[in-house]
Amino acid sequence: MSQPLGNVRLRAARQAAGFRSQQALADALTARGLSVSARQVRRWESADPRPPYSDQQRALVELLNVAAIEDLGFPATTGVDAGRVLRTPPAAPMTVPNAVQPPSAASAFAAVTRAHRRLYWTVAPGTLHPSVVAHAGLGAALLPATTGGVRQAVASALAESWLLAGRIEFFDLTEPARARETWLRALQAAGDADDALLGAAILAHTAFVPGWAGDRAGASERMAMARTSARRGAASAELLAWLDAVEAECETRCGNTRAALNLIGHGEDILAAGGDTPSPDWMDWFSSVRLAAFKGNTQLRAGHLPQARETLLGVLEGLPGDADKQRTVVLGDLAAVEAAAGQPEAACSYAIRALDLLETHWYATGMERVREVRRELAPWQGEQCVRDLDDRLYSWGAMLSALAN
């Protein structure tokens, strides 16, 4: 069926995955060994596009994070390719097992894991996620071919890879059910590595799923597991304070802001006391500044507006240069503070600053903050500042990305 605006489904999915241009998507497909030009992508985004070849379909489905090629505006395939195209094509059966891996295999595999960890803060989630998942698949295939310390090292890096994949799914792609399954794989790998601290981090991440859904009992149970696992290892002050922050986030989402503020206060005390135990290298998502970001959001939801404003402005000033994802969240919270204080112009200013960053650093959690602010601005619907915000929030590209996410 002809679509006046062309294939809007593919265009929306492309933009939502972080490919701001047709050339960017073409480059990503070319990097996978496919011969695709920007002109070909333009044809796919036109009205009544011809379906891509099956190998192109698989790459598009995986890169753009959809369930089937039909979700990208193409008709269902027929013949030998009939049926749904999976995000990740099934691996070919292994007729020859991997040879026993030397120690260098563990260090090489872990090096890629570390690279993915660093890339998370700057690379579009739709671009990075397939690489992380593929790398984890490699680790899962290598693990049976390892023993002793090599096996432990591979399993630890594999657990971190699955943890990162789940973080992208939950925070960047808003797929909590998928993240839950991915984190289960991460926990299994952490068990193979006998890494109690990594296990604690994974278990605490799983608490976000029930916590954000308002299931306090479910979140509390997972946090109890996480704290038990942390006690089995030499936990740093940062890790223990982060566990307080996660539980505070879940309590806040469940409407228990007093309990949340008590937990954050406890986390602040832990950080102030410090300790000699260093944090694991993989724990690059937390610091005293990020604890303050948790605090500012809880103060906002508790109605402590002057305190929330002061806290969040301090966070905005203290965030490192590569923290644009977190910056979108903080700007969204500052916008919410001003909306609650009856200052629509200031609220819109912060929200637009968040949208500026989201154009280059997509983060579903940050966009949700902006959407929440827009709902709070309903009483000022006719004000020029709100109309200006709407022009940005509901532009063609932004609307397509928002609906796709």
Side-chain angles (χ1 to χ4, degrees):
M1 183 175 68
S2 178
Q3 303 177 57
L5 295 176
N7 187 356
V8 295
R9 289 189 178 183
L10 176 58
R11 189 182 312 135
R14 168 174 63 79
Q15 293 174 338
F19 299 105
R20 310 307 297 179
S21 66
Q22 295 167 338
Q23 184 64 58
L25 178 57
D27 291 343
L29 291 166
T30 301
R32 288 171 167 254
L34 303 173
S35 179
V36 178
S37 64
R39 184 178 181 183
Q40 180 61 65
V41 177
R42 185 162 58 252
R43 288 172 179 164
W44 289 338
E45 291 188 1
S46 66
D48 295 321
R50 293 188 63 179
Y53 294 115
S54 58
D55 56 344
Q56 295 171 337
Q57 290 184 26
R58 291 191 178 93
L60 283 168
V61 164
E62 188 172 11
L63 277 172
L64 303 184
N65 195 45
V66 295
I69 195 64
E70 298 94 311
D71 297 332
L72 298 177
F74 298 106
T77 52
T78 57
V80 294
D81 289 321
R84 296 172 71 80
V85 179
L86 301 177
R87 279 193 182 93
T88 305
M94 293 177 58
T95 56
V96 180
N98 287 311
V100 175
Q101 297 297 301
S104 59
S107 59
F109 181 77
V112 178
T113 298
R114 289 193 297 271
H116 285 156
R117 182 203 308 159
R118 293 190 293 270
L119 289 171
Y120 171 73
W121 302 107
T122 56
V123 175
T127 303
L128 182 61
H129 183 261
S131 295
V132 176
V133 171
H135 179 61
L138 171 62
L142 290 177
L143 197 61
T146 58
T147 59
V150 177
R151 178 180 177 84
Q152 187 175 28
V154 171
S156 183
L158 175 59
E160 184 187 338
S161 290
W162 283 128
L163 172 59
L164 177 59
R167 282 172 57 82
I168 296 172
E169 289 158 4
F170 187 85
F171 295 109
D172 299 80
L173 303 177
T174 59
E175 295 189 46
R178 189 178 179 192
R180 183 179 60 242
E181 297 301 317
T182 299
W183 284 330
L184 178 58
R185 294 175 178 171
L187 191 62
Q188 291 171 334
D192 284 336
D194 194 24
D195 192 328
L197 297 184
L198 193 50
I202 295 163
L203 285 163
H205 274 85
T206 68
F208 282 123
V209 178
W212 283 33
D215 177 6
R216 187 185 187 191
S220 296
E221 181 182 29
R222 284 159 179 78
M223 287 308 305
M225 295 178 185
R227 293 184 186 279
T228 300
S229 186
R231 286 196 295 270
R232 297 187 180 124
S236 66
E238 288 79 11
L239 178 56
L240 294 175
W242 176 71
L243 293 178
D244 282 334
V246 174
E247 190 164 4
E249 169 85 358
C250 294
E251 291 285 2
T252 299
R253 294 271 178 166
C254 295
N256 304 302
T257 55
R258 177 175 293 184
L261 288 172
N262 288 336
L263 283 161
I264 291 171
H266 185 257
E268 290 174 330
D269 292 341
I270 291 175
L271 290 181
D276 297 328
T277 304
S279 293
D281 291 340
W282 43 258
M283 193 180 168
D284 62 347
W285 60 74
F286 187 71
S287 64
S288 58
V289 173
R290 293 176 188 271
L291 177 60
F294 281 96
K295 182 178 183 178
N297 178 259
T298 300
Q299 289 171 327
L300 163 64
R301 293 176 183 262
H304 304 164
L305 301 184
Q307 296 91 328
R309 182 186 291 111
E310 180 180 0
T311 300
L312 292 167
L313 286 173
V315 172
L316 201 59
E317 184 176 346
L319 282 172
D322 63 351
D324 280 344
K325 288 185 176 184
Q326 182 67 44
R327 218 179 312 275
T328 64
V329 174
V330 175
L331 288 167
D333 282 346
L334 278 167
V337 168
E338 300 304 338
Q343 302 295 327
E345 290 189 8
C348 290
S349 176
Y350 283 124
I352 288 174
R353 286 175 62 184
L355 290 174
D356 288 340
L357 288 176
L358 286 165
E359 285 188 356
T360 54
H361 294 82
W362 172 259
Y363 194 42
T365 306
M367 177 57 81
E368 182 55 33
R369 293 288 213 272
V370 176
R371 291 178 187 151
E372 289 175 359
V373 169
R374 179 57 186 87
R375 290 191 285 269
E376 294 299 318
L377 289 170
W380 297 279
Q381 188 85 18
E383 297 289 334
Q384 185 60 47
C385 61
V386 179
R387 292 179 180 178
D388 292 341
L389 174 60
D390 286 349
D391 285 340
R392 287 294 307 280
L393 185 58
Y394 303 134
S395 64
W396 279 112
M399 283 192 295
L400 290 167
S401 294
L403 291 173
N405 281 277

